[in-house]
Amino acid sequence: MNFDDIIYVLCLLSCVGAGKYVKNIEGESQRKLICTLFGLVVAFIVSGWHILHCIISAFLGALAVVYVHPSKTHLITFVIMFAYLAFFRLAHVFGFTNPPGPTNMIQMVLTLKVSGVAFEKASSWKKLKQREQELSGNKPAEKELVEISDYDVELQSIDIIGIFQYSFNYIGVLTGPYYRYRTYRDYFETPFKDYAPCVETTVENLKFAAIYSVIYATVDYIWPLSYALSPEFYERSFIYRFWYIWPAFLIFRMRIYAGLCLSECVCNMAGFGAYPEESDATNGEGPRKQYLHLKRDADKRSYNFNTIVNIRVKEVEKCFTLREGMKHWNVCVQYWLAVNIYRQFPSKKYRTAVTLLCSAYWHGFRPGHYFCLLGAASYVTVEDIWQKLVAKEATGLKRLIIDYMFWFAKSCIGYNYLGTAFMLVSFSNIWNFYSSIYHVGYIAWFLMLASGLVLTKRKTTISVKNK
């Protein structure tokens, strides 16, 4: 770990420790103010004066959310926030000093938060207009009238201060998780945090964070990624070079797992994102059922932190396909991408590709991000073809064998092969490494695609003839 990493981890741990104090502050306004000030202090510690990037972009985005017409606010805010993200990463081109890595993480989360508010506001405005038209008789009502909540109305009058406080709330300011403005509002307006199992959940997550950290440190010491860039590495056998993708991506996974677990701990200790079981809270979205009436007897409820789950490690490791694995990885960001990009994009044919392209852009402009994330889109296409060919109708032992073949392919190519490109970052590093193992991942992918298309066509022809 370098010095920036140490400071970063210490700041995360301080945020975890602050949770018990913050939760007990009386007065909604005072608690909001302290959470915002603490968030700004933490951001300044890891960023220095580069924090001005975050403040300026949040202010510009907030102006768009507040003053642009609700029918267009999501589009304008999205463009502003993602354009500033590009400027932020290309600061050196304009003569500015490149911000440190932790500031990049803050800016990434900020981009999702501010543009997410705009998407929420636009969606609520559409619901309000539709309800208004139905009640006035200008539009035929559906089977049921559009359901409108107080939150939908509240969003239409959200102000710049509210967005700023939400953006720099110390909970999630460093690494997320992404959460909706509604989740932020509920934290201050509901008593759920007072009865949630905060300490128990935090301790449990800290245990896992410690385990992931030990594995990360051990594997990184024995098989460092830097060795894969050294001349000595390319003198080793092909089998060794190909095998190296396994420890290389294991290092990356354990580092990410530890960081995401710690960021969940920040929420857990403060009781942030805790909802009663009856509310049917889901990752990123929060409650899907009516829940405000549960405040009356909040002390009699059982609670969970489903809203702020960052990653489901067991499912990531055990699932059989990459498509399923992506759903369990960085879950709240996946929710943002699904709701605001995938479902909003007009062409169903290109939704997956556009969503992964947006994800790659959000992660950064380095070639490794595009090799990995756009490669994942291609891999999922092949995976889907073969799922329909061999797995869809298989049962029993045959299905089990097929599932584990998919699991091995997912782990080898979907995770390790493509994930290594994400870590190698530059085109030259990626090309040298992939060339040393003769691009076997891409060759295997091409052969599986070609044979899958041929077999699919043959199966379709036989099916037509039988009819």
Side-chain angles (χ1 to χ4, degrees):
M1 294 178 69
N2 58 36
F3 182 73
D4 282 346
D5 288 338
I6 293 172
I7 296 298
Y8 192 69
V9 171
L10 289 175
C11 284
L12 269 177
L13 291 174
S14 70
C15 289
V16 174
K20 190 172 182 179
Y21 165 73
V22 167
K23 189 175 66 170
N24 295 323
I25 297 174
E26 295 185 3
E28 177 185 332
S29 299
Q30 185 177 357
R31 193 184 304 120
K32 281 184 177 180
L33 178 61
I34 290 174
C35 287
T36 304
L37 291 176
F38 186 38
L40 287 168
V41 168
V42 169
F44 181 76
I45 289 172
V46 300
S47 306
W49 291 108
H50 293 288
I51 192 179
L52 290 174
H53 281 293
C54 306
I55 293 173
I56 292 170
S57 62
F59 180 69
L60 292 175
L63 284 174
V65 174
V66 173
Y67 293 110
V68 174
H69 192 273
S71 63
K72 296 182 177 64
T73 186
H74 57 306
L75 299 175
I76 302 301
T77 307
F78 177 87
V79 170
I80 289 173
M81 296 307 298
F82 276 80
Y84 199 97
L85 186 62
F87 168 75
F88 171 85
R89 287 172 172 157
L90 298 174
H92 60 281
V93 175
F94 301 95
F96 298 101
T97 307
N98 276 331
T103 314
N104 181 54
M105 289 298 301
I106 296 171
Q107 189 67 42
M108 289 170 70
V109 175
L110 190 67
T111 299
L112 299 186
K113 279 186 173 182
V114 178
S115 54
V117 171
F119 276 102
E120 284 192 74
K121 183 178 180 180
S123 177
S124 294
W125 178 80
K126 288 178 183 177
K127 288 166 62 178
L128 290 168
K129 290 296 291 183
Q130 186 177 344
R131 180 66 175 273
E132 183 182 322
Q133 291 173 350
E134 289 174 347
L135 293 175
S136 65
N138 294 330
K139 182 178 180 180
E142 304 291 338
K143 293 181 180 179
E144 295 181 3
L145 288 174
V146 175
E147 186 177 343
I148 302 297
S149 67
D150 291 340
Y151 179 65
D152 293 315
V153 178
E154 178 186 326
L155 274 176
Q156 304 312 306
S157 57
I158 191 171
D159 57 24
I160 292 175
I161 293 176
I163 296 171
F164 189 85
Q165 290 181 322
Y166 162 65
S167 300
F168 290 99
N169 179 28
Y170 86 94
I171 299 173
V173 73
L174 288 175
T175 53
Y178 166 77
Y179 49 82
R180 297 172 62 192
Y181 182 77
R182 185 181 70 171
T183 305
Y184 170 78
R185 181 205 63 171
D186 287 345
Y187 179 68
F188 297 97
E189 297 182 2
T190 64
F192 302 145
K193 58 185 172 296
D194 299 322
Y195 305 102
C198 301
V199 176
E200 298 89 336
T201 308
T202 302
V203 170
E204 187 68 16
N205 272 332
L206 281 174
K207 289 178 182 177
F208 284 109
I211 292 170
Y212 301 142
S213 298
V214 170
I215 296 174
Y216 160 72
T218 303
V219 179
D220 188 47
Y221 178 77
I222 300 173
W223 297 290
L225 181 64
S226 58
Y227 181 61
L229 304 175
S230 66
E232 293 83 4
F233 177 79
Y234 295 100
E235 295 174 3
R236 306 293 292 263
S237 67
F238 164 78
I239 294 176
Y240 182 85
R241 293 195 301 269
F242 181 73
W243 167 85
Y244 212 82
I245 63 176
W246 293 81
F249 194 59
L250 180 62
I251 293 168
F252 177 78
R253 293 209 305 281
M254 292 304 114
R255 180 187 175 97
I256 296 298
Y257 291 171
L260 294 180
C261 277
L262 278 177
S263 63
E264 281 186 33
C265 289
V266 177
C267 300
N268 299 150
M269 185 57 84
F272 190 92
Y275 286 101
E277 296 280 358
E278 296 90 334
S279 68
D280 189 25
T282 59
N283 310 139
E285 181 176 355
R288 292 189 293 185
K289 296 180 179 178
Q290 295 292 334
Y291 64 98
L292 292 179
H293 66 284
L294 301 175
K295 294 189 294 183
R296 290 193 295 269
D297 51 357
D299 58 320
K300 300 177 182 178
R301 308 289 173 178
S302 56
Y303 294 85
N304 63 54
F305 287 92
N306 290 345
T307 301
I308 49 84
V309 169
N310 248 333
I311 192 164
R312 295 186 283 265
V313 175
K314 186 184 295 185
E315 285 77 6
V316 170
E317 298 294 337
K318 288 177 61 178
C319 68
F320 296 119
T321 64
L322 180 62
R323 180 179 289 280
E324 185 181 353
M326 289 192 297
K327 294 177 182 178
H328 302 298
W329 180 280
N330 212 352
V331 181
C332 292
V333 172
Q334 296 292 341
Y335 165 79
W336 187 95
L337 289 167
V339 170
N340 299 320
I341 305 299
Y342 185 84
R343 295 178 192 172
Q344 300 276 349
F345 196 74
S347 172
K348 292 183 178 181
K349 184 177 180 181
Y350 299 107
R351 278 179 175 175
T352 299
V354 169
T355 302
L356 287 170
L357 181 62
C358 181
S359 178
Y361 178 99
W362 180 72
H363 279 90
F365 299 149
R366 295 172 175 177
H369 300 153
Y370 294 86
F371 269 90
C372 177
L373 295 171
L374 296 184
S378 302
Y379 179 84
V380 165
T381 301
V382 177
E383 200 174 56
D384 290 344
I385 291 172
W386 280 94
Q387 278 282 320
K388 292 177 182 178
L389 279 172
V390 301
K392 189 176 181 180
E393 299 174 359
T395 58
L397 180 61
K398 180 181 178 182
R399 178 58 186 260
L400 187 64
I401 293 172
I402 290 171
D403 281 341
Y404 276 102
M405 290 175 67
F406 272 95
W407 177 87
F408 180 79
K410 174 212 72 176
S411 301
C412 185
I413 298 176
Y415 283 179
N416 298 322
Y417 187 80
L418 294 174
T420 301
F422 194 97
M423 294 180 294
L424 291 173
V425 179
S426 71
F427 179 82
S428 60
N429 287 342
I430 297 167
W431 186 259
N432 289 338
F433 182 83
Y434 278 176
S435 296
S436 76
I437 55 176
Y438 309 112
H439 301 278
V440 290
Y442 290 127
I443 292 172
W445 171 83
F446 177 77
L447 292 175
M448 292 299 291
L449 175 63
S451 58
L453 291 174
V454 170
L455 291 174
T456 299
K457 185 176 181 180
R458 183 178 298 176
K459 186 177 181 180
T460 303
T461 303
I462 293 173
S463 178
V464 171
K465 287 182 178 179
N466 289 338
K467 289 181 180 179

